[in-house]
Amino acid sequence: MDAVKRKKKSLKWDFVKYFLICIILILTGSLILGISADKLLSSGASEYVLLLSIADLVQSIAITLWSLLCVVACGIIFYHRKIEKPIGVLLEASENISNNRLDFSVEVPEKNELGDLCLSFEKMRIALRDNNLEMWRQVEERKRLNAAFAHDLRTPLTVLKGQSEMLVKYAPQMSGEKIISTAEMMGRHITRLEAYVGTMNELQRLEDVEIKKELVAIKDIEKQMRITGTTVCTKKEFVFRQNIPNASNVTIDISVVMQVYENLLSNALRYADTKIEVHIDKQDSLFVLTIADDGAGFTSKDLSNAMKPFYKAENETNNEHFGMGLNICKILCEKHGGYFKISNNNGAKVVAAFKE
């Protein structure tokens, strides 16, 4: 039964059917022509030898012409019904694919060999489209990583620059302990930068960041954040508050927390009028970082789109700003098991939470 079904769907079987029809038409027509000629001859024309010869010749020519007509007609009908449409579909598909237009579908007009070929073209089109989409996704993701890389290098480099300038300018008046403390701070930033560069080179996606939690003293977090804040916010008032005792510890990935902090500090610095406030707290098992500024705050459009990659506010004029900061912070907070929220409270307010 299956073999019969396969034959019915075969182009070869269709050709055989049309061929048999052609033979039947030729035989039927030849038989009719032969019978008609015999009737004419039997009516009295057979006594004339010349007329008999002419009648035989006409009969032969008529049968030949009829046979040719049947072959041509069956061939044209077979081509028109079984081959023309699939060939047209394949030619159109190949033209679209060669021009890299893959937003179409290949019709399968017949369930035969040509239909299978059309189906193969459709599978090839889908594979090419998926490969192109994946390639563009990887290009966009690499672009996103490069933008994130450039964005996140700014603040630690600014801190290092400020610390080095302070050493050059005030080193003769500074105590040995202060110089060593400043050098250690610079060393920590350099180590973070080295680790960050190595991590970014290995990553394919920001979501692949590995969270490495460790026990960190609150006093050390406060010290790093204060130095970074005062170094970066030289032209704005910097206010730091905490509701956590200095003797406490938290289990966090300090490099991720500082990366988020520096991103948010950089954003607040761009939009603040005169003051930036930083607040750290512990809520249940979360280490919560809040940064607010006294600028114009987020627009309604910003609140809906600011955490999307490469988003820029309509009034953004800084071409060096990639629109990646809040998106990076959101991804890192969620990777750390926390959350990320933006809102307005007499200016912009951002809350980043990290689960211990």
Side-chain angles (χ1 to χ4, degrees), residues 272-329:
D273 288 335
T274 59
K275 184 170 68 173
I276 296 170
E277 295 185 22
V278 176
H279 179 249
I280 60 173
D281 195 2
K282 281 188 69 174
Q283 298 174 5
D284 298 326
S285 60
L286 293 171
F287 174 76
V288 182
L289 167 67
T290 303
I291 296 183
D293 64 69
D294 61 349
F298 296 106
T299 65
S300 57
K301 184 178 180 181
D302 293 339
L303 290 172
S304 300
N305 299 285
M307 288 183 283
K308 295 179 181 178
F310 304 110
Y311 173 78
K312 289 187 178 184
E314 293 179 352
N315 59 350
E316 178 65 57
T317 58
N318 185 359
N319 293 326
E320 295 181 358
H321 175 52
F322 297 102
M324 287 294 301
L326 297 183
N327 177 255
I328 295 168
C329 294

Side-chain angles (χ1 to χ4, degrees), residues 174-204:
M174 294 170 65
S175 65
E177 183 180 348
K178 180 63 176 176
I179 292 174
I180 292 173
S181 175
T182 303
E184 288 175 347
M185 173 61 68
M186 294 176 68
R188 282 195 292 270
H189 276 284
I190 291 170
T191 301
R192 279 190 55 232
L193 285 175
E194 289 175 343
Y196 182 58
V197 170
T199 301
M200 291 298 289
N201 285 335
E202 295 172 1
L203 286 179
Q204 293 300 317

